[in-house]
Amino acid sequence: MTTELSTTISAEQLAELKALNPQGDSFQRINVPRLGMLAKDLTKETGTGKSKKIEVIQPAGAFYIERETTNEDGERVWEKEFIDGETIDVLVAFNRKQLSMWDDGAKVFTNSPIYDEDTQVIPLWEGGKEIAKATPKDLQEMYPALTAKGKPTSKLKEVKILYVIYKDEVYQMNLSQSSKYEFLTYVKVVHPSTVVTVIGSKEQTHGSNTYNVMTFKNAGTVNTEQYEAIKSTATMIKEAIEAEKAYYAKFDTNVPVTVSIEEDWSPDAVKGLQSGSPEF
């Protein structure tokens, strides 16, 4: 048998051969830059005593981008870049969930992985170590609390995770509780994947605590180009989720293999986005 080729095969044929014989057994985790907003002024203290001054470096409501990198010691760090202007225009492509809680006394962060379905059995980590595994509701019941009006709640909060397109790049946005409620109010009147969303901020006071929360405004129906960008981003994220679940399902039968989100992208942009995007 000879290894000499009588004809040259195409790049598409080479890609087909590679696909038929995949190397390794893994998946590509969703890893995109973060898009966020300052809830409080970013300040810097100078001087001491009577000469002590507090300088506002960035005001509350300022938007920023964080990109993951490594420092000189090889440690994972996030570099922050602030965005000019009081608002940003984004396309909302996908949404997910995560449980999180910060214990200020113990200086410990408790969180779950990002998930999609309330029926999933997910791990809970405290300081990076797994401490429990259950459905989101059962995990939240481990940390009972009461609202200001005496209603039962949980210290372990559900965070809304948005995947948005800003200036042609995909970002992850983690909405705080107050910003999450602003978003949930917004989606009651419009499906966010069918419009351009203007995100701004407003000041809010809770007791003695004053901070900024995000606001969401409909800037009009998406055009054909924006429709294609939302569609391809949502499809990419869904495929990554399915691949991750399939990978872990081989080791833990509690992890569902399929995603219950049904997508049916029609030629009509608005109708397609309304029927195809995940429920918010």
Side-chain angles (χ1 to χ4, degrees), residues 2 30 53 55 69 73 96 115 128 168 179 184 186 192 211 233 245 247 262 278:
T2 178
I30 302 171
K53 295 181 180 180
E55 176 187 358
T69 184
D73 299 324
R96 305 185 74 191
Y115 65 97
D168 300 322
S179 292
L184 293 178
Y186 172 62
Y211 49 92
T233 300
K245 288 182 177 180
Y247 177 78
E262 294 297 330

Side-chain angles (χ1 to χ4, degrees), residues 61-165:
F63 290 94
Y64 60 85
I65 292 169
E66 283 186 319
R67 299 184 188 276
E68 186 178 358
T69 184
T70 53
N71 58 21
E72 295 178 352
D73 299 324
E75 298 171 328
R76 172 187 171 189
V77 294
W78 290 88
E79 290 187 347
K80 194 182 262 87
E81 171 192 350
F82 285 94
I83 301 171
D84 293 331
E86 297 180 350
T87 62
I88 54 174
D89 293 358
V90 305
L91 304 174
V92 181
F94 210 85
N95 79 109
R96 305 185 74 191
K97 309 171 187 178
Q98 185 179 32
L99 300 179
S100 71
M101 177 182 70
W102 170 251
D103 188 332
D104 197 45
K107 305 298 180 185
V108 174
F109 185 59
T110 303
N111 68 291
S112 76
I114 298 175
Y115 65 97
D116 303 282
E117 304 160 29
D118 293 334
T119 56
Q120 282 182 249
V121 175
I122 56 175
L124 187 68
W125 301 307
E126 183 180 84
K129 296 181 179 180
E130 184 176 318
I131 58 171
K133 201 168 190 178
T135 63
K137 181 181 178 181
D138 290 340
L139 292 175
Q140 287 184 297
E141 289 178 351
M142 293 169 54
Y143 301 90
L146 294 175
T147 66
K149 295 182 179 180
K151 294 183 178 180
T153 183
S154 175
K155 296 177 184 177
L156 187 64
K157 302 298 185 182
E158 179 192 290
V159 177
K160 175 68 75 174
I161 308 291
L162 299 183
Y163 292 94
V164 304
I165 303 168

Side-chain angles (χ1 to χ4, degrees), residues 99-274:
L99 300 179
S100 71
M101 177 182 70
W102 170 251
D103 188 332
D104 197 45
K107 305 298 180 185
V108 174
F109 185 59
T110 303
N111 68 291
S112 76
I114 298 175
Y115 65 97
D116 303 282
E117 304 160 29
D118 293 334
T119 56
Q120 282 182 249
V121 175
I122 56 175
L124 187 68
W125 301 307
E126 183 180 84
K129 296 181 179 180
E130 184 176 318
I131 58 171
K133 201 168 190 178
T135 63
K137 181 181 178 181
D138 290 340
L139 292 175
Q140 287 184 297
E141 289 178 351
M142 293 169 54
Y143 301 90
L146 294 175
T147 66
K149 295 182 179 180
K151 294 183 178 180
T153 183
S154 175
K155 296 177 184 177
L156 187 64
K157 302 298 185 182
E158 179 192 290
V159 177
K160 175 68 75 174
I161 308 291
L162 299 183
Y163 292 94
V164 304
I165 303 168
Y166 171 68
K167 292 189 175 181
D168 300 322
E169 188 171 0
V170 181
Y171 295 89
Q172 177 181 314
M173 296 189 74
N174 295 10
L175 303 187
S176 67
Q177 293 305 295
S178 297
S179 292
K180 181 181 78 171
Y181 292 130
E182 290 288 330
F183 179 76
L184 293 178
T185 300
Y186 172 62
V187 303
K188 288 180 180 179
V189 295
V190 64
H191 194 298
S193 291
T194 66
V195 297
V196 177
T197 298
V198 179
I199 305 180
S201 74
K202 66 179 181 180
E203 190 176 272
Q204 190 171 93
T205 299
H206 183 71
S208 60
N209 189 19
T210 299
Y211 49 92
N212 276 44
V213 301
M214 294 183 189
T215 60
F216 302 86
K217 182 180 178 181
N218 175 3
T221 305
V222 298
N223 59 32
T224 303
E225 183 180 349
Q226 292 165 334
Y227 159 77
E228 292 294 344
I230 295 170
K231 174 182 174 180
S232 62
T233 300
T235 301
M236 176 272 292
I237 294 172
K238 180 181 176 182
E239 289 175 350
I241 293 170
E242 290 176 333
E244 180 176 357
K245 288 182 177 180
Y247 177 78
Y248 281 113
K250 293 182 295 186
F251 309 103
D252 184 351
T253 55
N254 287 325
V255 179
V257 176
T258 58
V259 179
S260 63
I261 301 164
E262 294 297 330
E263 295 187 340
D264 178 21
W265 300 105
S266 71
D268 184 299
V270 176
K271 182 179 178 182
L273 289 172
Q274 287 175 330

